[in-house]
Amino acid sequence: MLKNRIIPCLDVKNGRVVKGINFVDLKDAGDPVEQANIYSDGGADEICFLDITASNENRNTIYEVVEKTSKKCFVPLTVGGGIRSVDDINRLLNCGADKVSINTAAVQNPEVVAESSKKFGSQCIVVAIDAKKNFDNWEIFTHGGRNNTGIDAIKFAEKMENSGAGELLVTSMDRDGTQVGYDIELMSKISSRVNIPVIASGGVGNLDHLVDGIKLGNASAVLAASIFHYGKHSVKEAKEYLDSKGIPVRI
Amino acid sequence: MNVTIVDYNSGNISSVINSFKEVAKDKVNIEVTSDLNKIKSSDKIVLPGQGSFKSCFDALNSINGLVETLNEFAITNKKPLLGICVGLQMFADLGYEETETKGLGWISGKVSKINNQNNKFKLPHIGWNEISIVKESKIFKDIEDKSHMYFVHSYEFVPEDKSVISATTDYSSNIVCSVEKENIFGTQFHPEKSDKIGLKIIANFINL
């Protein structure tokens, strides 16, 4: 039986991991290799790096981080943030990323998704959808949640599936950072409309939220950042909890 | 000993390279090349593959003499070869991804889309799934039955002779996920991305 995945997400800025795991015995809290190892040793099913580097001149640092991490990381590594073109994707894959997550570029230029999935295979193309509720609909936001495009999130999800996306990473902008739980309605709506796996993101504050994302939101995988970063829970604890609730996980 | 990872523009092979180098340490030389002479003289070959059956087979064919070299290595000289993902699928006679494409024909059978029972199962089959070991295979030495491996694929290899199947995985039906036929080995899952247990499979292949 296929297991539901737990994906810790690490923020990377200027080539260093920020907001990482809050363990005191780390030699260097910003070392991506060390942090990725802690997560994969703890049973993370996949590791996600989100590049939050603001300036263009520091963009290249993500490649070094990925290269260094992938040499010692033997679970899938997904990298997102600031990906603009097929060339960017090619470079990240060459550095050792297994998948890339595309957000703004997928909205502005959906051809990037079609072209890259054809070129590299849809297995490595994740489209990140940042959506915010507007009455009965959800609208897509780009540029790290700053720009409202007015595009309907559900329709966009279907379009991305048709363009060749292998997975959708769905983040609720309303819930992100609030720790009140995923937007279950959004997750389940998108999940029922597409036939590719959906990764739920945005709003996890406790382990029950992970359970809800899978059981009620029908997500194939759950992504979380802060509950793991601040030592509130380990990935192992999360998996044991999901297992106790009857959710199939890899233990 | 030389283990060669065949570099034929089959998509992203950096994780395959990283994992083999990690396992090999300094004891085994890991070469990444499309050079036919180097392939011929190596002791073992790894045939990776990502993307579609057609794109991978086209890529193999675009390197003059590569298919013949692989045939000589695996069929005539019977030296060990490991196919990963589409690398395994290409052992078949025929693939049906995009369009009907001829394969290497090393293990009779075809590669067809996973029957997902009218969208009851999402495709691609992505994530960690348990393998059921159905026959002893040299690459499964010290690997426990029901171990988890990382999968990502929408097509499955259906061999005619079921005795080549060494493991299956359950996703909508029993999917063939590992084969062994004499010196030819293949995994549908990605040992290079399957944590320590995956590295153990790679070590088993290197130590054959």
Side-chain angles (χ1 to χ4, degrees):
Chain A
M1 180 190 254
L2 184 64
K3 304 300 157 81
N4 292 103
R5 284 169 283 157
I6 295 192
I7 309 173
C9 182
L10 291 157
D11 288 353
V12 180
K13 193 178 182 182
N14 300 334
R16 307 289 293 162
V17 172
V18 291
K19 232 171 65 175
I21 316 161
N22 202 11
F23 289 149
V24 282
D25 60 341
L26 278 184
K27 285 192 285 297
D28 175 359
D31 182 32
V33 180
E34 209 160 353
Q35 303 230 350
N37 273 342
I38 290 171
Y39 278 141
S40 67
D41 284 348
D45 295 307
E46 208 168 307
I47 311 268
C48 182
F49 280 167
L50 180 64
D51 184 20
I52 53 165
T53 303
S55 64
N56 278 329
E57 59 265 33
N58 285 330
R59 281 268 168 240
N60 284 339
T61 55
I62 190 69
Y63 299 112
E64 291 160 34
V65 170
V66 171
E67 197 161 17
K68 221 170 127 192
T69 307
S70 65
K71 286 207 160 64
K72 295 284 167 194
C73 175
F74 302 105
V75 298
L77 177 64
T78 304
V79 183
I83 296 165
R84 293 277 173 270
S85 64
V86 174
D87 282 347
D88 291 348
I89 297 168
N90 191 27
R91 207 168 154 196
L92 278 170
L93 295 177
N94 280 334
C95 288
D98 297 292
K99 310 181 196 182
V100 292
S101 151
I102 314 168
N103 175 253
T104 303
V107 179
Q108 288 180 337
N109 180 15
E111 267 307 297
V112 169
V113 175
E115 200 187 327
S116 57
S117 63
K118 203 165 169 29
K119 191 166 176 173
F120 309 112
S122 58
Q123 84 288 334
C124 66
I125 306 298
V126 182
V127 170
I129 298 178
D130 290 353
K132 204 168 187 170
K133 198 163 187 185
N134 184 14
F135 297 101
D136 291 332
N137 295 308
W138 285 266
E139 289 172 350
I140 301 273
F141 280 65
T142 59
H143 298 87
R146 290 190 300 277
N147 293 5
N148 183 2
T149 64
I151 296 169
D152 182 81
I154 316 278
K155 285 191 187 125
F156 183 72
E158 289 173 330
K159 187 177 165 189
M160 288 300 105
E161 176 180 28
N162 292 331
S163 295
E167 286 175 281
L168 298 175
L169 168 59
V170 181
T171 304
S172 157
M173 300 298 301
D174 302 298
R175 301 298 178 91
D176 203 29
T178 62
Q179 308 216 359
V180 296
Y182 296 118
D183 184 340
I184 294 301
E185 211 188 335
L186 171 67
M187 301 305 158
S188 64
K189 271 221 164 101
I190 291 187
S191 186
S192 68
R193 292 285 279 275
V194 298
N195 196 43
I196 51 178
V198 169
I199 305 163
S201 158
V204 175
N206 61 47
L207 299 180
D208 280 312
H209 293 152
L210 301 177
V211 174
D212 293 345
I214 294 165
K215 277 198 169 168
L216 307 175
N218 291 320
S220 301
V222 283
L223 181 135
S226 44
I227 60 161
F228 298 131
H229 295 334
Y230 301 117
K232 194 171 171 184
H233 296 289
S234 66
V235 174
K236 190 166 175 277
E237 273 169 19
K239 288 193 144 181
E240 281 164 357
Y241 189 74
L242 262 58
D243 180 54
S244 77
K245 296 289 173 184
I247 292 174
V249 285
R250 173 179 71 111
I251 289 184
Chain B
M1 183 171 61
N2 283 310
V3 176
T4 297
I5 298 168
V6 183
D7 181 8
Y8 64 101
N9 299 315
S10 63
N12 179 21
I13 58 169
S14 46
S15 287
V16 175
I17 300 168
N18 286 337
S19 60
F20 271 80
K21 287 195 169 161
E22 171 76 11
V23 171
K25 301 272 190 262
D26 302 325
K27 287 172 241 144
V28 177
N29 183 35
I30 305 292
E31 186 98 46
V32 184
T33 184
S34 58
D35 183 299
L36 301 184
N37 286 324
K38 282 186 179 161
I39 292 172
K40 274 178 198 163
S41 65
S42 60
D43 300 292
K44 286 170 188 143
I45 280 182
V46 183
L47 188 62
Q50 279 193 355
S52 75
F53 187 101
K54 183 179 185 304
S55 67
C56 283
F57 206 74
D58 286 350
L60 267 192
N61 273 324
S62 70
I63 297 173
N64 217 348
L66 181 55
V67 170
E68 293 75 12
T69 302
L70 293 175
N71 276 328
E72 187 188 310
F73 188 95
I75 303 299
T76 315
N77 297 335
K78 296 207 177 297
K79 291 207 269 186
L81 181 142
L82 174 68
I84 299 174
C85 197
V86 184
L88 149 78
Q89 294 179 1
M90 288 191 301
F91 296 170
D93 304 311
L94 280 175
Y96 292 96
E97 193 168 356
E98 289 182 53
T99 170
E100 191 178 292
T101 309
K102 233 179 124 240
L104 291 163
W106 292 347
I107 299 180
S108 286
K110 57 180 186 175
V111 175
S112 46
K113 194 157 193 177
I114 296 170
N115 176 0
N116 71 339
Q117 302 176 18
N118 286 324
N119 295 344
K120 214 175 128 202
F121 291 84
K122 294 196 177 251
L123 289 180
H125 170 220
I126 298 186
W128 297 82
N129 208 334
E130 288 169 359
I131 63 164
S132 300
I133 298 177
V134 295
K135 83 164 181 187
E136 249 179 66
S137 174
K138 293 182 192 103
I139 59 169
F140 290 153
K141 188 174 170 274
D142 298 325
I143 302 287
E144 277 179 38
D145 191 27
K146 305 290 173 200
S147 290
H148 286 98
M149 300 294 168
Y150 185 77
F151 287 84
V152 47
H153 64 126
S154 299
Y155 285 75
E156 59 172 327
F157 177 36
V158 185
E160 272 170 28
D161 174 9
K162 305 296 176 207
S163 74
V164 299
I165 301 169
S166 53
T168 61
T169 193
D170 181 23
Y171 191 69
S172 80
S173 63
N174 272 333
I175 291 171
V176 173
C177 71
S178 181
V179 296
E180 176 178 336
K181 186 186 173 188
E182 300 171 33
N183 55 313
I184 300 170
F185 302 83
T187 63
Q188 178 61 63
F189 54 82
H190 290 268
E192 77 278 14
K193 284 282 120 184
S194 296
D195 217 339
K196 293 177 185 75
I197 196 105
L199 296 184
K200 177 71 192 152
I201 290 179
I202 291 171
N204 285 340
F205 177 71
I206 288 179
N207 294 330
L208 277 178

